[in-house]
Amino acid sequence: MSTSTPQSTASAEAPATGTARVKRGMAEQLKGGVIMDVVNAEQAKIAEDAGAVAVMALERVPADIRKDGGVARMSDPNMIEEIIEAVSIPVMAKSRIGHFVEAQVLQSLGVDYIDESEVLTPADEVNHSDKFAFTTPFVCGATNLGEALRRIAEGAAMIRSKGEAGTGNVVEAVRHLRQIKNEIAKLRGFDNNELYAAAKELRAPYELVKEVSELGKLPVVLFSAGGVATPADAALMRQLGAEGVFVGSGIFKSGDPAKRAAAIVKATTFYDDPKIIADASRNLGEAMVGINCDTLPETERYANRGW
Amino acid sequence: MGTSSTPVIGVLALQGDVREHLIALATADAVARPVRRPEELAEVDGLVIPGGESTTISKLAHLFGLMEPLRARVRAGMPVYGTCAGLILLADKILDPRSGQETIGGIDMIVRRNAFGRQNESFEAAVDVRGVEGDPVEGVFIRAPWVESVGASVEVLAEHEGHIVAVRQGHVLATSFHPELTGDHRLHGLFVDMVRAKDAPGSL
């Protein structure tokens, strides 16, 4: 494990790994792209061939985790290694919230990003993992700005909306992304006196709140996740300000995964061109059936996990 | 196209860290704009190919009819600068291409993708770049490629631990690392000068 601090920069001597710049910079390279959930090497290759910028290796897609119930954990290392072997694009994998040993295992396997994910069953109901303790960068979910900034304060190098994974319903991702963008816009108008109270209200470190107020954006890349099922969903999230999209169950729970995956990639790049989105939306076969989020009991809402 | 004093430089915006390049180019006194379509490519004096996933970028370039126009413009002498994935796309040959992975080409070199390793091996190091005055450049290497070998007409601008990480062949420039992720825009300045020189009356 690296002991280098995230702020360390290049020196004339030894090359520095695990710095904030290489962790956050990795996410910058994924922008404008689609990260797809896959459960085996064959799906990983389909995703890569369709133009995915990365794959998320997991044992069950969220829709199946919902269906099966029980405790959802980190995937089998064999399965993750098979996927790493199968593709040349980056491979991400999920650890449970606060389960820093699962994260240590994922780092030792050489995954390129760790998703400390609410889709798995949380291992700690108070603490998230200390992400500065790792060389491998982390992406974390957020439903609002305060939550995003708390994750960044713990070392997250990328943020995604939580959405409501495994539903095929984009409504929660829209809510979370709008919430984050609105709160950032509000901070833009604050003067220095107001930023202290804003930090208190957001329950986030003042320095990060000030940085967001100055930048007008998060200091890390912001993706959308949770419920994207169609090319138009992906383009909607981009137009709402997401710098890229995660697609979970939406691809491999649909009728023609290869075609749908390629179509979502096209719509994510040309998110502001309705003609291209229309073409990408033609003849995709069955979309995943989906779940109405307002019929979902509170206890089955993954977005409520994490604090 | 721009005047010789303020060149218009595009950033290939199919996927990758486009925003950072647009900012770096603007800081280096160019008019910078994203390029996703053939007609947008036709309007720029030079082009940056950003970092990103080379397989994704080449697939999208092919799908949206940009590959041939890109090759034609590079052949015709348009200045191009590629970082990381951009370096791979400007290589005449990839050592271990994914099946069907095409490049634009322009530099007589063979590149090895992810040569420095996976993300855990990504690093920052100071790099001396020929043609960049002053302190070494802060090199940010992310799952970075290196150049295995170059042809006689290619100028090697920088090496890291014995591996070639920056090259130039005439109007085409490429680095394994990402100057756009640092506040140091000297390499973008060098590229803007290349575009300006190309654009100047009497050149060609």
Side-chain angles (χ1 to χ4, degrees), chain A residues 50-74:
Chain A
V53 288
V55 290
M56 177 74 70
L58 74 177
E59 236 155 38
R60 290 176 290 169
V61 294
D64 286 332
I65 293 174
R66 277 189 192 285
K67 206 171 69 191
D68 299 350
V71 176
R73 311 176 178 90
M74 175 188 79

Side-chain angles (χ1 to χ4, degrees), chain A residues 99-119:
Chain A
H99 204 316
F100 52 86
V101 174
E102 284 188 348
Q104 289 166 3
V105 170
L106 294 174
Q107 172 164 284
S108 80
L109 296 176
V111 305
D112 296 292
Y113 241 90
I114 297 168
D115 183 3
E116 188 181 21
S117 177
E118 71 283 359
V119 168

Side-chain angles (χ1 to χ4, degrees), chain A residues 10 15-16 19 21-22 26 28-31 48-49 51-53 86 88 90 107 110 112 136 269 272-273, chain B residues 14-17 19-20 36-37 51-53 56 59-60 98 113 118-120 122-124 138 142-143 178:
Chain A
T19 63
R21 242 181 356 198
V22 300
M26 165 80 209
E28 303 285 355
Q29 308 313 311
L30 301 172
K31 283 191 301 193
E48 185 176 49
D49 287 343
V53 288
S88 71
Q107 172 164 284
D112 296 292
T136 312
T269 291
D272 53 354
D273 188 329
Chain B
L14 296 172
Q15 188 274 316
D17 64 343
R19 177 179 174 272
E20 288 62 35
R36 285 181 299 177
R37 300 173 176 85
E53 272 306 309
T56 305
K59 195 168 298 284
L60 287 166
R98 296 306 291 181
R113 300 159 66 223
R118 304 186 66 84
Q119 175 59 15
N120 286 342
S122 293
F123 63 96
E124 293 183 47
E138 296 169 37
I142 296 174
R143 289 170 46 96
H178 296 276

Side-chain angles (χ1 to χ4, degrees), chain A residues 3 103 158 193:
Chain A
T3 53
M158 179 179 186
N193 302 299

